[in-house]
Amino acid sequence: MKNITLKQYAALTDTSQYDAVLPYLNPRNNFAGKSINLNTMPYANVKYCIRLLQKINSWKGVAELFAICFEVDEPSFWDASVTEYFAARNYVVSAFEKLIANENKLLSGISTNSHLWEMAGADKLKAYSDTLPLLQLGKLLGQYPYDLGRKPYGEIFSLLAQTKAQNEVEQEYRKLAP
């Protein structure tokens, strides 16, 4: 098995020799000499990559994901070695899985009024799940929501977690106050 370029790998008719080993490489945050930090990526890019990851079905989608995450151009993507790609791919997948798990843990909560929320039509809001948090922060901070989407993911996530915690405390306080 040779360490061929990604372009050569994508052109192979039988990749089984590579597929038996490469998907199990240790994750590595390095591709074409660049690394990623999800916390410093713009919030909108992180959310777009999460959606993209869920529906990638071609090399074009993979190249787009790597262009956003590692800020590499298409020729650099195709010239990278197949071992470098698989290690980086494993890193990207695990990093986004951790990020999603962290979001779900910190931003979700079971509300006693969730059934009312569902009855009111919460399903209609699912299509806007990426921008609604920005809209809420924009109202709170007096900023245009899409400007917030260009801010680093870590900053926006921190503000969302703080806002959620504050809202929960205020809601409990209202229950306790006479």
Side-chain angles (χ1 to χ4, degrees), residues 61-165:
V62 174
E64 181 181 6
L65 178 69
F66 273 63
I68 294 168
C69 290
F70 290 101
E71 297 178 349
V72 294
D73 59 8
E74 196 168 339
S76 298
F77 174 78
W78 291 112
D79 289 342
S81 74
V82 70
T83 55
E84 182 180 26
Y85 161 73
F86 273 93
R89 184 194 78 169
N90 292 344
Y91 177 81
V92 167
V93 169
S94 68
F96 277 107
E97 284 174 349
K98 287 177 188 171
L99 184 129
I100 291 167
N102 195 31
E103 273 188 12
N104 290 338
K105 180 179 156 191
L106 291 176
L107 296 181
S108 68
I110 299 173
S111 171
T112 55
N113 297 327
S114 63
H115 66 286
L116 294 174
W117 185 250
E118 295 295 326
M119 288 173 50
D123 286 342
K124 293 177 186 176
L125 299 175
K126 287 183 181 176
Y128 309 107
S129 63
D130 291 351
T131 54
L132 278 177
L134 297 176
L135 183 64
Q136 293 169 341
L137 280 178
K139 284 181 186 178
L140 185 68
L141 303 172
Q143 292 187 8
Y144 183 62
Y146 290 107
D147 287 345
L148 291 170
R150 289 185 220 118
K151 301 281 186 197
Y153 173 83
E155 290 179 18
I156 298 299
F157 181 73
S158 174
L159 290 171
L160 290 172
Q162 292 171 47
T163 302
K164 179 187 178 281

Side-chain angles (χ1 to χ4, degrees), residues 11-26:
L12 291 175
T13 54
D14 179 22
T15 60
S16 59
Q17 178 184 6
Y18 292 93
D19 296 342
V21 177
L22 294 178
Y24 304 103
L25 288 176
N26 288 331

